[in-house]
Amino acid sequence: MTTMSARLSVMMFLQFFIWGGWFVTLGTFLSSNLGASGGQIGMAFSTQSWGAIIAPFVIGLIADRYFNAERILAVLHLIGAVLLLQLYRAPDFSAFYPFVLAYMMIYMPTLALVNSVAFRQMRDPALEFSRIRVWGTLGWIVAGVVISFVFAWDSQQAISSGGLRNTFLMSAIASLVLGIYSFSLPRTAPLKPEPGRVGLKQMLGLDALGLLKDRSYLVFFIASILICIPLAFYYQNANPFLAEIGVTNPTAKMAIGQVSEVLFMLLLPLFIQRFGIKIALLVGMLAWALRYLLFAYGNNGDLAFMLFTGIALHGICYDFFFVSGQIYTDAKASERFRSSAQGLITLATYGLGMLIGFWVAGAVTDHYASADSHEWKSIWLFPAGFALAIFFCFSLAFKGRQSVAAPSSI
């Protein structure tokens, strides 16, 4: 590993340690400690979508035009540390919600910023990006292990006594560290504008919308929005589901999904090179349907292997669709608007799709909720069927072939 790769890897590790440090257990914390309903939990999770919706404008207006991306990243994480501390202190949902909304509007633009900083240092993103991005996955894994095995904040006793509140404090400290560290990252200056008059469209980074004129990319963009509806069910319900049915150390066991993500992220360049981007995207969508079927019919007894298999599918679910999509987007975009293009795909995935998805997940969860439990089989069958429908529609509508030329080695 080169010095540059190591520096970018540390950035990715901290970026996703912060997110994984509180987001996985958010649903359990809100329901168990703040008495939130399914609808309120959906509101809290959907704050990431509002943040993702404004991300393209933040990146297009600032990162691509005026200021260095690494400096914006530093400032946003320093502000984020303060907001996470307020989440740690919030006594109830009404006090919690404004701060989580503000935090996600600060955090979500940083997802595109770290990609922008990383891509600008690479000669061959299809080869190099997965090697850097995998450290973000490791950061998410370490956060889950710390929560379950180091502090045991997700044990039944700790949950009832409010132990999960400490996840926000842990993430606040990590955000402070990344904010300071970001000032040392490689200089990622805005590219010089082309000669001629710069209009509002260019200032806001809306040039990236030109990608939607390409039929294949438009189909991919729509599919990205739709597949995030099933994804919202996983983010919102997986940890409360495992905790409710009695799975011990659920947060650490959910990290099995990130372990598989590491493996499949390293294999992804080979897969794209061998089968092409369309097959990679289709495999990712099909894995979502299979995962939810396993959740629907598994249990914490003799069929526990189905639950763990569903968790382990996360590597295929996430890498083969979302990471492939980031690589596909970078390949499609012109150099001057790659930051805007990454913001655009953030808008599609973590913005519009999951905003709808968290609303749907909250409504479905409340519909199948009783006084102290849920009808989980019916809850999981809904996103399984939805993902399967997207799979068939995408397979017919997407006509792209070998759109990304990945190398033959990793």
Side-chain angles (χ1 to χ4, degrees):
M1 178 183 288
T2 66
T3 301
M4 180 62 68
S5 295
R7 294 169 68 189
L8 296 175
S9 297
V10 171
M11 174 189 72
M12 286 292 185
F13 181 93
L14 291 171
Q15 175 76 21
F16 287 89
F17 179 92
I18 293 166
W19 198 4
W22 66 275
F23 197 71
V24 174
T25 57
L26 177 61
T28 304
F29 169 74
L30 291 175
S31 61
S32 300
N33 300 123
L34 298 189
S37 66
Q40 288 177 319
I41 294 172
M43 285 176 57
F45 274 99
S46 67
T47 57
Q48 77 156 22
S49 302
W50 290 115
I53 287 170
I54 71 167
F57 301 100
V58 172
I59 305 308
L61 182 59
I62 301 177
D64 276 351
R65 303 293 168 184
Y66 300 113
F67 302 105
N68 286 14
E70 82 282 359
R71 295 178 183 175
I72 305 170
L73 183 68
V75 171
L76 292 181
H77 276 299
L78 291 175
I79 297 172
V82 176
L83 293 172
L84 284 166
L85 185 61
Q86 299 306 312
L87 293 177
Y88 168 74
R89 295 173 172 173
D92 51 41
F93 185 80
S94 62
F96 183 92
Y97 181 76
F99 287 114
V100 74
L101 176 60
Y103 177 74
M104 293 311 282
M105 288 187 174
I106 290 296
Y107 180 85
M108 293 308 293
T110 67
L111 294 175
L113 283 169
V114 294
N115 285 346
S116 179
V117 171
F119 279 128
R120 287 278 293 277
Q121 310 306 318
M122 298 176 186
R123 293 182 179 179
D124 190 347
L127 170 63
E128 300 173 59
F129 182 66
S130 61
R131 295 176 176 176
I132 303 300
R133 175 59 180 78
V134 73
W135 286 90
T137 303
L138 290 173
W140 191 290
I141 292 170
V142 171
V145 170
V146 169
I147 290 170
S148 286
F149 292 125
V150 177
F151 297 113
W153 289 332
D154 62 348
S155 67
Q156 293 295 327
Q157 181 178 357
I159 290 174
S160 61
S161 62
L164 287 177
R165 185 179 299 275
N166 295 312
T167 60
F168 301 103
L169 181 59
M170 177 182 72
S171 294
I173 295 171
S175 187
L176 176 64
V177 172
L178 180 53
I180 297 171
Y181 176 76
S182 294
F183 285 111
S184 73
L185 289 171
R187 184 173 180 268
T188 310
L191 294 167
K192 294 182 179 180
E194 295 177 349
R197 184 177 179 181
V198 178
L200 181 61
K201 179 180 178 181
Q202 288 75 28
M203 291 181 62
L204 293 177
L206 298 180
D207 303 67
L209 291 174
L211 289 171
L212 302 182
K213 296 178 181 178
D214 182 286
R215 182 181 183 278
S216 292
Y217 195 84
L218 176 61
V219 171
F220 162 73
F221 185 81
I222 294 172
S224 296
I225 294 173
L226 295 177
I227 201 64
C228 282
I229 296 175
L231 173 60
F233 277 79
Y234 183 75
Y235 280 160
Q236 181 169 325
N237 288 331
N239 193 264
F241 163 64
L242 296 174
E244 185 174 304
I245 66 175
V247 175
T248 57
N249 300 313
T251 309
K253 288 176 179 175
M254 285 181 67
I256 294 172
Q258 277 65 48
V259 173
S260 76
E261 188 180 328
V262 173
L263 172 63
F264 287 108
M265 193 173 299
L266 295 174
L267 293 176
L268 184 60
L270 285 175
F271 190 94
I272 294 176
Q273 191 269 340
R274 176 66 178 84
F275 298 104
I277 196 70
K278 179 177 181 178
I279 298 300
L281 294 169
L282 284 171
V283 168
M285 287 185 281
L286 187 60
W288 282 106
L290 178 58
R291 151 183 271 184
Y292 290 133
L293 287 173
L294 290 168
F295 281 178
Y297 292 100
N299 58 46
N300 195 31
D302 56 341
L303 297 180
F305 73 92
M306 295 177 68
L307 302 180
F308 297 123
T309 301
I311 294 171
L313 281 173
H314 186 74
I316 301 177
C317 292
Y318 187 85
D319 295 342
F320 277 64
F321 192 88
F322 294 100
V323 178
S324 291
Q326 291 169 355
I327 294 172
Y328 180 56
T329 297
D330 187 72
K332 283 285 189 180
S334 64
E335 183 181 10
R336 290 190 61 252
F337 304 113
R338 281 177 178 163
S339 290
S340 298
Q342 290 298 325
L344 180 66
I345 197 59
T346 299
L347 168 65
T349 53
Y350 292 106
L352 296 177
M354 295 192 71
L355 180 63
I356 300 169
F358 285 127
W359 178 82
V360 173
V364 171
T365 301
D366 278 342
H367 181 75
Y368 291 108
S370 59
D372 55 358
S373 63
H374 298 81
E375 189 181 333
W376 288 111
K377 179 180 177 181
S378 298
I379 292 173
W380 293 126
L381 285 177
F382 183 93
F386 196 90
L388 198 60
I390 300 169
F391 169 83
F392 285 118
C393 292
F394 184 83
S395 65
L396 295 174
F398 186 81
K399 302 300 182 184
R401 294 291 186 263
Q402 190 76 10
S403 301
V404 178
S408 58
S409 61
I410 59 176

